[in-house]
Amino acid sequence: MSLPQPLPYVPTADEIVPAMHRVINKYNAIRTQILQTTTPSTATFSNVILPLVDVENAVQGELGMIDMLQYGSPSLDTQGAFDEARKLYLKASALWAADEPFFRLLEAAIEKPEFQALDAESKHLLEKELLEYRHAGHGILGHVELEEYQKRNMEIAQLERRFQQNLAREAGGVWFTLEELDGVPGDELAKWRDSPAEGELTNEKHQQRKKFVPFANGGTLAVLTHAHSSETRKRMFLEDNLKLKENMPLFEDIIKRRARQAQVLKYPSHTALRIERRMVKTTEWVKGFLRQLQATLCPYGQGEIAVLQRRRLEDLRARGQFGDKEAGDRFPPWEKRYYERLVQREFEVDQLKISEFFPLERTATNMLGIFASLLNLRTHPKS
C-alpha cells in the first residue's frame, strides 16, 4: 500500500539557509509581479491576494520543516543554520511590512464591489492581510513615524528571536542519586546519562551513581509522576520552574516595548491590538469568558485537589511523616502528578478498557462533527 503523499523532506544543516533564500525569493518575485502589473484602480482579491496565497501554499511545508528543526534537532550546526535562516526571514518580513504601495493595493481591493461577492474565507484573507499592514503602521502614522515604528518592531523581533533561541537550546536538568529516583521506571532511567566523573558519583554519605534528569523530553514529568521521594519531586519541580533565568529580562523588555508600540497606534494595550486578528474581537469578552470558566471550573478543580490531598495525607501517615499541621492545609504543586497516578491506580482505571468504548471510526467521525459545529466547517471523505 502506497502512502497518499510523500513524507516531507528534512533539510540538512547546510541546506536550511539556501532553502530560506528560495522561499524569500519566491515571495519577492510574486510581490514584484503584483506591483508591476496591478494598480489601485485594478486591484482585486484575484490579482493581489490569490497569487500570494498560491506561493504561501507552495512554501509552507518547507517553512514548517525549517521551523520544526529549531526545537527538533539537537545539532548545533542545524540550530545555527536555523538562526541564520530566521534572521533572513525576519528581515524580509520587515521589508514586506514597510511596502506602502502594496498596502495601497490591499486598501483599494477591499473597496471594490467584487469584495462583497467573495466567499467568507477569501474575505477573511484580504481583511487579515490589510490588518497586518495597519498594525505595521500604514494608514495611521506619517512617513517618519512609520519608519521609527517599524524599526522598533524589528528590535522587538530580535528580542523575541533571542528568547526563542534560549528556549530551543535549553539543556538543563538535575543530578539525582538512584536512591532519590526510587520509583522511576527503568526505561526512563535508561534514557538519562550517568555521572561523567568520579566527583559526581559521591554524595555526603557514600558513593552512589547519579543520573542527570533533563527538564526536556519528559524528564520532569517522569520524576513528578513516579519518584517516591517528595523531596525529589519538590526539587525537580522548583528547578524546572527556575530554569532560563536569562529569559526573564528579555520577557519584561518585550512586554514593555509591545505596550509602547500598541499605544503609538492608539490601542490601549498590546492585547487589544493583537485580539483584532482573532475570532474574538474585544478583551472585555475574553475577560468575561475567563470569569465564567473560573466560576464553573474552579469548584471542580478544588474537589479534585481535595481527593488528591486526602490520598497524600494517607501516604504521609503511612510513612510516619505527618507531623506538620501545615502539611494538611496546603497541597504543594509538585505533588499533583504523583498522587493523580496513585488515585487512578486505586480506582483501577484501565485505559485499554476505556478505549473499547471509543471505536476509532466512530470517535473520529464524532470529533470532526464537534469541530464542524464549533468552527462552521464541513468535512467530506476523500474518494
Side-chain angles (χ1 to χ4, degrees):
M1 183 177 70
S2 61
L3 293 171
Q5 62 188 44
L7 293 172
Y9 177 72
V10 180
T12 60
D14 57 354
E15 293 174 325
I16 291 175
V17 172
M20 185 59 78
H21 276 298
R22 286 196 304 273
V23 168
I24 292 170
N25 288 341
K26 287 179 181 178
Y27 274 118
N28 284 337
I30 196 62
R31 293 174 73 90
T32 299
Q33 179 183 322
I34 292 169
L35 288 168
Q36 289 176 345
T37 59
T38 313
T39 64
S41 63
T42 61
T44 64
F45 173 85
S46 297
N47 59 22
V48 177
I49 290 295
L50 198 55
L52 273 180
V53 171
D54 290 339
V55 171
E56 186 169 334
N57 288 339
V59 303
Q60 276 306 301
E62 199 166 23
L63 272 179
M65 186 58 67
I66 292 172
D67 198 49
M68 180 278 296
L69 290 173
Q70 174 185 199
Y71 302 101
S73 173
S75 165
L76 291 180
D77 288 341
T78 299
Q79 294 285 340
F82 170 82
D83 290 341
E84 182 61 30
R86 181 65 176 165
K87 280 193 287 187
L88 291 171
Y89 192 77
L90 286 175
K91 184 177 179 180
S93 297
L95 291 174
W96 298 332
D99 192 346
E100 186 172 359
F102 204 88
F103 165 69
R104 297 302 175 194
L105 293 181
L106 294 170
E107 210 174 28
I110 207 167
E111 295 298 329
K112 295 287 174 31
E114 294 94 326
F115 175 74
Q116 298 303 326
L118 294 173
D119 60 88
E121 183 180 0
S122 298
K123 284 182 178 179
H124 174 69
L125 279 171
L126 180 48
E127 290 168 341
K128 176 174 174 286
E129 192 70 19
L130 183 59
L131 187 60
E132 291 282 348
Y133 275 81
R134 292 196 186 281
H135 284 175
H138 292 286
I140 301 172
L141 304 177
H143 182 70
V144 175
E145 290 177 308
L146 187 61
E147 285 188 351
E148 288 297 317
Y149 180 83
Q150 291 170 349
K151 179 183 175 183
R152 291 193 297 269
N153 269 349
M154 273 298 294
E155 291 170 353
I156 292 173
Q158 294 297 333
L159 291 172
E160 291 169 343
R161 188 173 65 85
R162 285 173 55 194
F163 187 97
Q164 291 296 332
Q165 280 178 343
N166 292 339
L167 283 178
R169 296 178 180 180
E170 191 280 318
V174 185
W175 287 101
F176 288 110
T177 65
L178 292 180
E179 181 181 352
E180 290 170 322
L181 293 173
D182 181 41
V184 177
D187 58 340
E188 294 288 349
L189 294 173
K191 298 176 185 176
W192 305 329
R193 72 176 190 264
D194 294 313
S195 307
E198 191 68 21
E200 293 282 3
L201 296 175
T202 61
N203 59 20
E204 294 179 358
K205 295 181 179 179
H206 56 279
Q207 193 174 73
Q208 282 190 344
R209 285 178 58 205
K210 284 190 175 183
K211 286 282 189 177
F212 182 76
V213 184
F215 298 130
N217 300 321
T220 296
L221 181 61
V223 169
L224 295 181
T225 303
H226 297 286
H228 292 323
S229 168
S230 179
E231 283 302 312
T232 297
R233 298 193 296 271
K234 177 180 179 180
R235 184 179 166 202
M236 192 75 210
F237 179 88
L238 294 178
E239 292 280 357
D240 185 72
N241 280 271
L242 290 173
K243 68 187 178 188
L244 289 171
K245 292 179 181 178
E246 63 272 27
N247 268 2
M248 181 61 74
L250 291 175
F251 187 58
E252 292 177 350
D253 195 12
I254 289 168
I255 289 174
K256 291 175 182 176
R257 288 171 182 255
R258 284 175 171 176
R260 287 195 293 268
Q261 288 292 82
Q263 289 163 7
V264 169
L265 296 184
K266 311 303 181 187
Y267 288 90
S269 65
H270 177 72
T271 305
L273 181 149
R274 293 291 295 183
I275 207 168
E276 279 194 332
R277 308 181 193 185
R278 304 292 186 259
M279 186 182 299
V280 176
K281 298 303 181 185
T282 67
T283 56
E284 288 72 21
W285 189 95
V286 174
K287 291 174 182 176
F289 179 64
L290 291 176
R291 284 193 293 268
Q292 289 178 2
L293 288 180
Q294 184 179 30
T296 303
L297 298 180
C298 279
Y300 289 102
Q302 290 164 354
E304 290 177 3
I305 292 298
V307 171
L308 299 179
Q309 178 72 319
R310 284 195 295 272
R311 181 61 183 85
R312 173 174 170 264
L313 296 181
E314 290 173 7
D315 190 37
L316 291 176
R317 290 189 186 97
R319 294 168 181 260
Q321 298 173 350
F322 184 56
D324 182 2
K325 181 181 181 300
E326 288 188 7
D329 297 334
R330 53 185 170 78
F331 185 82
W334 52 84
E335 303 287 37
K336 182 173 181 289
R337 294 283 185 180
Y338 183 76
Y339 287 104
E340 278 180 341
R341 181 178 63 83
L342 294 189
V343 168
Q344 285 188 7
R345 187 178 66 187
E346 289 165 3
F347 279 109
E348 297 182 345
V349 176
D350 188 330
Q351 299 294 342
L352 190 59
K353 288 288 185 184
I354 292 174
S355 70
E356 294 176 5
F357 293 90
F358 297 91
L360 178 59
E361 185 173 348
R362 181 177 176 184
T363 301
T365 301
N366 287 337
M367 286 180 66
L368 289 172
I370 292 171
F371 295 145
S373 172
L374 291 173
L375 304 175
N376 195 25
L377 298 175
R378 286 181 298 173
T379 58
H380 300 282
K382 187 176 179 181
S383 57

